[in-house]
């Protein structure tokens, strides 16, 4: 039997503003993943700096933090067999224009030109990232 994974999913401010939280959560549950924790929150600079620490110093870092703090977002912890690669596949390519039809970004994303970070969702990219990210957004939950 394979291990059950956990992943952090963020429905970014653009997705929240457009009323897509329910649709994203529906797709997560339809895929067979379980919602372990869920909250609507406004990100602090400290949370975002921790979350995006590997991008500090890159040209898109400050615009990314500005965008991610531009309004409420929905944070979720999901679990299931292979949920990390599974959700990333469900999310689709980072650039909504290149994301496949049927994916969250392919169906719901918009081309914002230079603002590729406005792509509706974030999902952890590895078990290590998931563990680190979950503690940032849900300090009381073990990954």
């Amino acid at each position: 039997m394979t291990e059950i994974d956990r992943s952090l999913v963020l429905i970014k401010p653009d997705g929240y503003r457009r009323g897509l939280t329910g649709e994203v959560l529906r797709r997560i549950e339809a895929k067979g993943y379980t919602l372990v924790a869920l909250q609507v929150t406004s990100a602090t600079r400290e949370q975002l700096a921790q979350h995006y620490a590997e991008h500090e110093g890159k040209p898109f870092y400050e615009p990314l933090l500005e965008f991610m703090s531009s309004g409420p977002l929905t944070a979720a912890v999901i679990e299931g067999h292979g949920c990390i690669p599974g959700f990333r596949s469900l999310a689709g390519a980072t650039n909504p224009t290149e994301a496949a039809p049927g994916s969250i970004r392919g169906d719901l994303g918009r081309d914002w030109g230079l603002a590729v970070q406005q792509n509706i969702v974030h999902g952890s990219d590895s078990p290590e990232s998931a563990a680190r990210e979950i503690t940032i957004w849900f300090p009381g939950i073990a990954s």
Side-chain angles (χ1 to χ4, degrees):
M1 186 164 148
T2 58
E3 186 177 319
I4 294 179
D5 297 319
R6 283 192 172 174
S7 181
L8 178 78
V9 171
L10 298 177
I11 301 166
K12 296 179 178 184
D14 58 328
Y16 184 87
R17 252 189 305 276
R18 291 180 53 210
L20 298 175
T21 298
E23 175 62 16
V24 172
L25 296 176
R26 183 196 69 75
R27 289 177 184 223
I28 288 168
E29 290 184 316
K31 185 78 173 172
Y33 303 134
T34 302
L35 293 170
V36 175
L38 183 66
Q39 68 175 340
V40 174
T41 187
S42 292
T44 67
R45 173 117 184 148
E46 180 184 2
Q47 282 174 310
L48 294 171
Q50 286 180 289
H51 185 92
Y52 292 111
E54 70 273 14
H55 299 305
E56 189 172 5
K58 295 179 182 172
F60 61 85
Y61 179 76
E62 286 300 328
L64 177 60
L65 268 56
E66 185 178 320
F67 162 66
M68 290 297 292
S69 62
S70 69
L73 57 82
T74 303
V77 176
I78 64 170
E79 82 178 8
H81 297 287
C83 73
I84 294 171
F87 178 76
R88 290 180 66 80
S89 177
L90 186 65
T94 302
N95 184 333
T97 301
E98 298 169 1
S103 68
I104 292 167
R105 293 174 178 145
D107 291 350
L108 307 173
R110 293 181 175 171
D111 184 350
W112 296 103
L114 299 175
V116 173
Q117 69 263 28
Q118 294 187 34
N119 59 7
I120 303 174
V121 292
H122 162 83
S124 303
D125 64 5
S126 68
E128 297 76 23
S129 292
R132 183 181 64 79
E133 293 171 356
I134 289 169
T135 62
I136 293 167
W137 298 94
F138 296 93
I141 295 178
S143 58

